[in-house]
Amino acid sequence: MDAIEGDFVLVDKADIEGLPTKPDAGRAEDKPSRRPIEERAKERQERQEKQKSVERWLNDEGGHLGKFPAKTHARKVAKQLGNPRGLICLPGQETSTFEDSDMGPEFRQRRYFYYLAGVDFPGCCVTYEMPYDWLVLWIPITDARRFLWYGSTPGPEECLAMSHVDEVRYIGGLERYLTASLAPGRALAPGSTLYVLHPNQTPRMENYKGVVQVDTASLKPAMNAARVIKTDFEVAMIKRANAISGAAHKAVMTRLKRLSNEREIEAIFRGVCRAHGAKHQAYPVIAGSGVNASTLHYDSNDQPLEGRQLVCLDAGTEWKCYASDITRTMPLNGTFSPEAAEIHAIVERMQAECFKRVLPGVTFASLHVQACIVAVEELLRLGILQNGTAEEILARGTVAAFFPHGLGHHVGLEVHDSSGSQPLLAGYLSVPRTSGMVGKRGCITDEAAARMWREVVVARDHHSMMVVPVQAKQRLEKNMVVTVEPGIYFCRPYLEEWFFKNANHAKHINKEVVEKYYPVGGVRIEDCIAITDKGFDNLTSAPKGEEMLKIINSGY
């Protein structure tokens, strides 16, 4: 910030860089334009405002946001169910132990329960009487012996203060409450429905068979649909998680040139998150250096950094059960090699071109195709791809050799959060049975990439290809939170097995040129964004681009 002291004006060093220093440099032709100085001042102001925003979110635990909007969530779920007669019952997670051990994993709350309850400790349950809009949280009593060993859990008054529920009761009375609800005029009157997530979560009740129907199929789809569109409270929680993760990424950058092993990167990241009150990571930290960066979910994080070009750090913490998901790819010595610089620039452009097109109503598949167009155009320019036009190579799906995953996913209570009834890239992601991959982790195969290209209508003018989204795919909506995470990878086993042995793809890939890029490993850049009326709000504050390089080299 500029400041005036006496007759002197203090300015940033950036303001005077490029000004003439020779005594005779005052001639008109030598005088610099004021525009660069004004631009620098504007950039400096933007940086300062951004830093203030980051610090505000980093230090703001969300107390001003009020209670967790459990009642709002319950109403959203009831609406998805069609507002029927009946009652929802969701148990929370219990503590557990490992097999043949008296020790167990760290407690992790059931996310569907948390969505309707907003409390993060074991032994609870939540019920929602839909006809009466009555949400009750059921909590355990902490007896003196348990207090001795483990301390207490929140009581009724504390729970009412933290979550918007109508009532908090002790869980010992749950069975009596549910049995009483079977009476005429109550939520589970004859002919009503008890909604549970899974058959083994059906609560104990006396004489309910033949009186009410137990529905184990409808609740999960309804909750998945409700979770797709976040409340403002949820967006704020995700932004807070991103702020902490961004600070942890920055801490790694400041120390990067002094580190010697991937494990140090993970330790710094986790330590900074914990210091800011974020106890759990949303997923295992990925700190892949060199060729390890070509493995998408590498998590060994134990290899030496010496002699390697890059590290791909994909790491995000949780805040109050809400996830963040951030990736930055950094040069280990502070300077990109020529090959790494080329690939990093491609991925930067892939993300930037997608950001330009983010609006409510846009299909995510069309954004993925746009990223593929950029990747193919740039890889052709580098000579990595060959023997065909961009359209021909896109039509074959060869781009999947280097960009083998989806552009992004929803983020919320899970890092790969619920997509509702129609996932962002529905019909394109595949999980091979022999791959060992589980859950929402899938890949974009060459066939899927080619089909996506065909199904997203494409026209070409004399300047560039234009993407027009197909109709039957999920469209972005306000308050969705998604990642945009393009990447380019050089995974030797994957290329050799799936693409070099396939003549349709092999002819388009220059193996000799690719050989130069194997040491790069892979580059991914990932931000979390919240969709707004006119575009998006980037929730991710982790430095990237020139700012990232400046931090790595300055150490602060």
Side-chain angles (χ1 to χ4, degrees), residues 74-88:
R75 288 167 176 166
K76 288 175 67 178
V77 174
K79 183 177 180 180
Q80 291 292 334
L81 286 169
N83 295 306
R85 291 171 57 197
L87 181 145
I88 295 171

Side-chain angles (χ1 to χ4, degrees), residues 392-437:
E392 290 169 343
I393 294 172
L394 286 161
R396 289 188 184 276
T398 308
V399 67
F402 304 100
F403 181 28
H405 60 75
L407 180 67
H409 51 81
H410 289 277
V411 176
L413 288 171
E414 299 282 359
V415 66
H416 296 150
D417 204 33
S418 167
S419 294
S421 61
Q422 195 173 51
L424 287 175
L425 293 173
Y428 299 126
L429 289 174
S430 63
V431 181
R433 293 181 181 179
T434 58
S435 70
M437 296 163 64

Side-chain angles (χ1 to χ4, degrees), residues 428-470:
Y428 299 126
L429 289 174
S430 63
V431 181
R433 293 181 181 179
T434 58
S435 70
M437 296 163 64
V438 296
K440 299 181 177 71
R441 299 182 179 186
C443 62
I444 299 288
T445 64
D446 52 344
E447 293 93 342
R451 183 158 47 82
M452 198 184 310
W453 171 253
R454 290 194 303 270
E455 292 177 358
V456 176
V457 181
V458 177
R460 184 173 178 82
D461 60 22
H462 65 286
H463 292 299
S464 63
M465 283 173 277
M466 304 296 291
V467 177
V468 181
V470 292

Side-chain angles (χ1 to χ4, degrees), residues 70-79 83-84 86-87 127-136 164-167 177 187:
K71 192 69 171 284
T72 298
H73 293 174
R75 288 167 176 166
K76 288 175 67 178
V77 174
K79 183 177 180 180
N83 295 306
L87 181 145
T127 57
Y128 182 51
E129 297 184 57
M130 287 181 280
Y132 310 111
D133 190 29
W134 195 252
L135 187 65
V136 182
H164 186 196
V165 295
D166 294 300
E167 190 178 4
Y177 170 85

Side-chain angles (χ1 to χ4, degrees), residues 252-283:
V252 171
M253 293 171 192
T254 62
R255 297 163 175 81
L256 187 62
K257 292 173 71 174
R258 304 193 296 274
L259 304 182
S260 61
N261 194 287
E262 294 168 347
R263 67 172 71 98
E264 296 172 85
I265 295 173
E266 178 176 0
I268 292 168
F269 188 90
R270 288 181 178 273
V272 172
C273 292
R274 192 68 184 93
H276 282 92
K279 186 176 182 180
H280 303 292
Q281 295 300 305
Y283 54 97

Side-chain angles (χ1 to χ4, degrees), residues 243-405:
I244 296 172
S245 297
H249 275 269
K250 184 176 180 180
V252 171
M253 293 171 192
T254 62
R255 297 163 175 81
L256 187 62
K257 292 173 71 174
R258 304 193 296 274
L259 304 182
S260 61
N261 194 287
E262 294 168 347
R263 67 172 71 98
E264 296 172 85
I265 295 173
E266 178 176 0
I268 292 168
F269 188 90
R270 288 181 178 273
V272 172
C273 292
R274 192 68 184 93
H276 282 92
K279 186 176 182 180
H280 303 292
Q281 295 300 305
Y283 54 97
V285 172
I286 299 168
S289 63
V291 296
N292 296 335
S294 69
T295 297
L296 302 183
H297 287 149
Y298 171 85
D299 60 5
S300 297
N301 303 339
D302 59 2
Q303 296 299 301
L305 303 177
E306 185 176 359
R308 298 183 174 184
Q309 296 184 23
L310 304 176
V311 62
C312 181
L313 177 59
D314 185 339
T317 195
E318 289 180 359
W319 181 254
K320 295 187 177 179
C321 294
Y322 283 92
S324 60
D325 195 356
I326 304 172
T327 307
R328 295 292 182 261
T329 305
M330 314 169 207
L332 288 165
N333 67 359
T335 303
F336 286 114
S337 70
E339 291 79 15
E342 291 166 341
I343 302 306
H344 194 271
I346 292 174
V347 178
E348 282 184 315
R349 187 188 159 206
M350 290 166 73
Q351 191 185 55
E353 291 290 331
C354 290
F355 279 162
K356 290 177 184 177
R357 292 161 173 80
V358 172
L359 284 170
V362 170
T363 63
F364 205 74
S366 68
L367 296 179
H368 184 97
V369 168
Q370 186 62 45
C372 290
I373 291 172
V374 173
V376 170
E377 288 177 346
E378 296 291 344
L379 293 175
L380 276 168
R381 183 180 58 81
L382 295 180
I384 293 172
L385 292 176
Q386 63 181 2
N387 298 329
T389 65
E391 293 96 322
E392 290 169 343
I393 294 172
L394 286 161
R396 289 188 184 276
T398 308
V399 67
F402 304 100
F403 181 28
H405 60 75

